[in-house]
Structures are given as C-alpha cells and as structure tokens.
Amino acid sequence: MPFERILAAIDGSECSDRAFATALELAELTAARPTALAIEGPLPAYAATIGEVEEEIRPGHAAEVVSQVAAEGHYDLVVLGHGGHFVRDHLLGSTADRVAENAPWPVRIVR
C-alpha cells in the first residue's frame, strides 16, 4: 500500500527517534511526504528535524493532538514510538495506545 503523507510524532526519546527513522524509511520507499509532529509541553523536548521534513509544533495532550493533526492533515499513516508501559499507562493508556485505539488510518508503533 503506497502512502502519500506520513505523520511521525516525536518527543526526543529513543523510541520516538526510532519511529522517526522508520517514518523516513517508509517515506523514501513510497515517495511519501513525511511530517514530524512535536507536542509542545512546558519545555520543547525536540528542537529540530531534518530539513526535508515538514515540522509542526502544537500545544496540548499528545494523544489528542496527534489524532487531531492526523485527521485534519489526511495522513495515510501515523508512526509513533513506544517505550513500554508504566503504571500510568495501564490506568490511562499510553499515548501510542490511545492514538491507535480509534484511528481510522493505519498506525505503526515502533518499540
């Protein structure tokens, strides 16, 4: 299945770096246009991305913002990093789990 637009949510973590690398590989293989999305918290966690990638920085809760941007931008694929579950994730669900739960588009979770 070829993709035209791929959204990668990034936060500067090792898992999100792997997810971003995966998104770039998939974009190259399918000639898709990749977008890196950083969710702005109290302090930006990821300062910059590669020049060929469209960059978006949005404030808000990560799961809600990723879902909103993916829907608004008509992305064909969302790529997220996931570092494992913490107690909070078991209660609320991780960001990756929450985005994938009701997504009408394919979601690739990179661990």
Side-chain angles (χ1 to χ4, degrees):
M1 168 188 229
F3 301 112
E4 291 182 21
R5 300 190 70 204
I6 298 174
L7 178 66
I10 58 174
D11 65 6
S13 68
E14 191 175 313
C15 291
S16 99
D17 289 346
R18 286 194 301 269
F20 186 59
T22 299
L24 291 177
E25 289 173 16
L26 290 170
E28 186 174 332
L29 289 170
T30 62
R33 183 173 145 199
T35 299
L37 173 66
I39 312 301
E40 188 175 74
L43 293 173
Y46 200 90
T49 59
I50 297 173
E52 306 86 55
V53 177
E54 182 179 328
E55 182 179 5
E56 294 187 30
I57 300 175
R58 299 268 188 110
H61 185 277
E64 294 168 5
V65 173
V66 170
S67 296
Q68 179 183 14
V69 169
E72 289 172 357
H74 305 288
Y75 287 91
D76 303 307
L77 176 68
V78 176
V79 182
L80 302 164
H82 190 299
H85 286 284
F86 299 100
V87 173
R88 176 185 53 86
D89 293 340
H90 286 293
L91 297 174
L92 302 174
S94 70
T95 296
D97 294 336
R98 291 170 67 189
V99 170
E101 187 174 86
N102 296 311
W105 52 83
V107 175
R108 169 88 161 103
I109 298 174
V110 179
R111 297 180 192 273

